[in-house]
Amino acid sequence: MATIQWFPGHMAKALRQIREQMPLVDILFELVDARVPYSSQNPEVALAAGDKPKLLIMTKTDLADRQRLNEWIEYFKNHDQPVLALDSRQNNVAKIVTAKSKEILQDKLAEEQAKGMKKRPIRAMCVGVPNVGKSTLLNHLVKKNVAATGNRPGVTTGQQWLRSSAELELLDTPGVLWHKFATPKQGTMLALTGAIKDSLYAKDDVALFALDYLRQHQPEMLKQRYHLTDDDLDENISNPDLLLTITAKMGFRDDYDRASERLIFDLRKNKLGPITLEVPADLNEDGLNE
């Protein structure tokens, strides 16, 4: 599996700004992709946060496998990590996030009240990997289009303060990755789900990873989408040979790069069914994907 990495200068700058602004906020909202809820957490952000309270917000839940999503919710709860699994477009998302923030910060808020301090809005910093859906969530928290959205990494380019309500203020930050992924698999999963710029990795490597997953977990969806037979999915057929078969079925002749790109985009757009590429059982004692 090829090593994939992306950490341009603007991400280094964004991480530095996150560290500088962290003392100004009460809580950190880290958005993670529900299809890769562990691997889309940024270890550099965790270091910058220190002991700062954190709410993990799982986005793109409509694209995720529901059973696996529930496993991750249970995992995070068992590790004392407050978590929400959201469809960012639901009407009551602001109420849900505000209520959870007040619950996490209840001791601090009670202490301020006991000291006679004036009631103020909770200040939250919103962070996440590129293309995690942060701008979509923020627009629904603020109830207007204040953050640019797009199904590609790198849409948000600078920090900005946004007001959700009298009870919640939000610091938006650009999507950031980190210097080196823990494993090649982590980089491949982030590429497959759209966190890494598409021009920076070999499409066939990522498509072969996707094929391996789909053969194991969603073979019927694979057959339906690309008009495959049971013989095409025979266990003796290698993933590269299967990719060539799919390329031909798509009418792309031997242009497997084009077929690889189509497969990746089909998976992202949920045309191969809901997916979650990792489960808690994948983690070893060091917390790394096996």
Side-chain angles (χ1 to χ4, degrees):
M1 190 178 295
T3 299
I4 300 171
Q5 199 65 52
W6 185 37
F7 190 71
H10 74 269
M11 288 188 186
K13 178 182 177 182
L15 268 176
R16 185 176 70 252
Q17 291 175 334
I18 285 171
R19 295 187 196 102
E20 292 170 352
Q21 298 285 355
M22 195 68 70
L24 303 180
V25 302
D26 304 300
I27 188 170
L28 177 70
F29 293 167
E30 183 168 16
L31 278 62
V32 297
D33 190 320
R35 297 167 296 176
V36 281
Y38 188 86
S39 290
S40 55
Q41 292 182 68
N42 190 329
E44 292 291 336
V45 168
L47 286 173
D51 294 330
K52 187 77 64 178
K54 181 173 78 170
L55 172 60
L56 207 64
I57 300 178
M58 300 171 72
T59 63
K60 306 196 177 185
T61 54
D62 57 315
L63 304 178
D65 179 276
R66 176 52 58 176
Q67 180 178 335
R68 289 186 162 201
L69 181 63
N70 289 335
E71 289 180 32
W72 278 111
I73 292 170
E74 193 65 23
Y75 170 85
F76 290 127
K77 287 181 177 178
N78 289 340
H79 286 76
D80 299 319
Q81 172 56 65
V83 61
L84 288 175
L86 294 178
D87 179 344
S88 301
R89 300 161 297 182
Q90 62 194 83
N91 292 329
N92 61 342
V93 68
K95 184 180 292 186
I96 293 170
V97 172
T98 301
K100 190 67 175 179
S101 302
K102 290 166 73 174
E103 176 189 322
I104 294 168
L105 295 169
Q106 59 183 336
D107 290 344
K108 179 178 182 177
L109 298 175
E111 184 180 333
E112 290 184 359
Q113 186 177 17
K115 290 179 179 178
M117 296 173 66
K118 184 180 178 181
K119 189 175 180 180
R120 61 177 181 81
I122 292 170
R123 306 189 92 195
M125 180 186 292
C126 300
V127 302
V129 298
N131 199 33
V132 76
K134 184 160 49 61
S135 295
T136 299
L137 175 62
L138 285 168
N139 286 338
H140 283 80
L141 287 174
V142 180
K143 299 184 178 66
K144 56 184 176 181
N145 293 331
V146 293
T149 62
N151 191 25
R152 65 189 190 281
V155 175
T156 303
T157 56
Q159 294 187 343
Q160 60 176 328
W161 279 102
L162 307 169
R163 191 174 182 86
S164 175
S165 67
E167 296 184 295
L168 182 64
E169 291 180 351
L170 305 153
L171 178 60
D172 186 16
T173 64
V176 288
L177 294 168
W178 51 103
H179 291 85
K180 186 177 181 181
F181 300 134
T183 65
K185 180 181 177 183
Q186 185 179 39
T188 302
M189 290 191 295
L190 289 170
L192 182 56
T193 51
I196 295 173
K197 198 171 180 179
D198 286 325
S199 60
L200 297 176
Y201 58 85
K203 303 293 189 299
D204 55 332
D205 284 346
V206 174
L208 289 171
F209 175 85
L211 271 182
D212 190 63
Y213 172 88
L214 292 164
R215 289 180 77 163
Q216 292 182 55
H217 301 285
Q218 291 169 213
E220 291 304 314
M221 293 295 297
L222 196 58
K223 285 162 63 177
Q224 290 174 28
R225 181 66 184 168
Y226 303 118
H227 310 293
L228 301 173
T229 66
D230 288 334
D231 288 341
D232 292 328
L233 292 180
D234 185 277
E235 61 181 13
N236 293 315
I237 303 295
S238 69
N239 287 327
D241 285 339
L242 177 57
L243 179 57
L244 289 173
T245 297
I246 291 172
T247 302
K249 299 244 183 197
M250 286 180 177
F252 295 159
R253 297 187 180 180
D254 58 354
D255 190 351
Y256 64 88
D257 280 336
R258 187 179 173 194
S260 296
E261 186 173 66
R262 172 72 66 82
L263 175 64
I264 291 167
F265 289 162
D266 280 354
L267 185 142
R268 289 180 188 169
K269 293 176 182 176
N270 215 24
K271 292 182 178 179
L272 290 157
I275 61 160
T276 297
L277 297 169
E278 54 187 0
V279 292
D282 290 338
L283 305 180
N284 62 28
E285 60 185 14
D286 296 318
L288 302 177
N289 279 292
E290 295 177 343

